[in-house]
Amino acid sequence: MSGAGGTATAQSDTVAGDIPVDTPRLPAREAAESELSKPMYHENDPNFLQRALNQFWDWVAEVFDAAAGAAPGGPAGLAVLVVVVIGLAAALWWRLGTPKRSTRSADALFDSDGPRSAAQHRAAAEAHASALRWTEAVQERMRAIVRSLEERALLDPRPGRTADEAAAEAGRTLPEHATRLRTAARSFDDVTYGGRTADQSSYLSLRTLDLELDEAKPLLPGTSRGATG
């Protein structure tokens, strides 16, 4: 009996050892997630910025791969197209120069240093002329002309006004000087934005115009030229 009992016990132990431990799936998954959520497993994970950058560069790589597949010649053809585009952009930049601002304030007659009177602009113009800085003298004299017309209420003070706009507006009020006002504005633009250098004769012409305008009588609305005497 003892032999039979031993055999039965061994068989029962063998059967019991062959049965796998069956842990339910949900508790096992929760246990695994809890274990993996520990900080020790995430010390070397990329931060949010790094993940965003990685996604961005993956997107760029996909775009270039798609472009390379569509371009004639594959990646080599794409490289040639990029070089051609860069060359065209450089040629346009060299030909046209730095793009100007779309707003008219880029061509404004007065700078942003604050308003100055006509007398102050005239004094600055004379100081530049005495130092033979004719370009700066022309600029200041044109500003003196426009400021003087504003002080006499022949022009409405308006920030951002250009020399051409001032000349056109003043020419309607002072028609006898309209042509010379346009010429003065063109001289200002040439030396300020066109890269040209003024000379003594250009400055003397503007100074004479300034003195004559100071004595000129405006054409009042409804008055003909023949009546302004």
Side-chain angles (χ1 to χ4, degrees):
M1 291 185 62
S2 61
T7 302
T9 302
Q11 289 178 352
S12 64
D13 291 342
T14 302
V15 173
D18 291 340
I19 298 175
V21 177
D22 188 9
T23 304
R25 293 183 178 179
L26 182 59
R29 184 177 64 184
E30 291 178 349
E33 291 177 352
S34 176
E35 177 66 22
L36 294 176
S37 65
K38 293 180 179 180
M40 60 180 295
Y41 294 105
H42 302 278
E43 293 178 352
N44 298 322
D45 287 354
N47 56 30
F48 174 78
L49 179 60
Q50 291 173 331
R51 292 196 301 271
L53 288 175
N54 291 338
Q55 293 177 357
F56 171 76
W57 289 119
D58 290 342
W59 174 80
V60 171
E62 292 176 0
V63 170
F64 272 94
D65 289 342
L78 177 62
V80 172
L81 290 177
V82 171
V83 171
V84 170
V85 171
I86 294 175
L88 290 176
L92 288 174
W93 188 277
W94 177 81
R95 177 66 179 83
L96 301 178
T98 304
K100 293 183 178 180
R101 297 179 182 176
S102 58
T103 58
R104 296 306 301 272
S105 61
D107 298 332
L109 178 64
F110 297 99
D111 52 31
S112 58
D113 293 340
R116 291 187 291 170
S117 66
Q120 289 174 313
H121 284 295
R122 289 187 181 114
E126 289 297 315
H128 287 305
S130 299
L132 305 181
R133 295 189 295 265
W134 302 115
T135 296
E136 292 82 356
V138 165
Q139 292 171 330
E140 287 298 324
R141 203 76 197 196
M142 184 64 192
R143 290 169 180 143
I145 290 173
V146 176
R147 184 68 77 203
S148 176
L149 295 175
E150 291 177 348
E151 291 174 353
R152 294 172 59 193
L154 300 181
L155 285 178
D156 294 328
R158 178 160 54 86
R161 175 189 278 123
T162 66
D164 291 330
E165 291 171 343
E169 295 172 19
R172 290 191 288 270
T173 305
L174 300 164
E176 299 296 332
H177 299 84
T179 300
R180 295 174 64 192
L181 281 166
R182 288 195 298 269
T183 301
R186 189 160 49 249
S187 298
F188 177 88
D189 289 341
D190 287 344
V191 301
T192 304
Y193 310 111
R196 298 186 180 180
T197 303
D199 54 18
Q200 183 179 11
S201 62
S202 300
Y203 174 70
L204 293 178
S205 177
L206 262 70
R207 187 174 68 173
T208 301
L209 176 62
D210 184 20
L211 296 175
E212 292 181 4
L213 289 174
D214 202 38
E215 301 293 332
K217 295 181 180 180
L219 179 66
L220 300 177
T223 305
S224 61
R225 292 189 181 186
T228 59

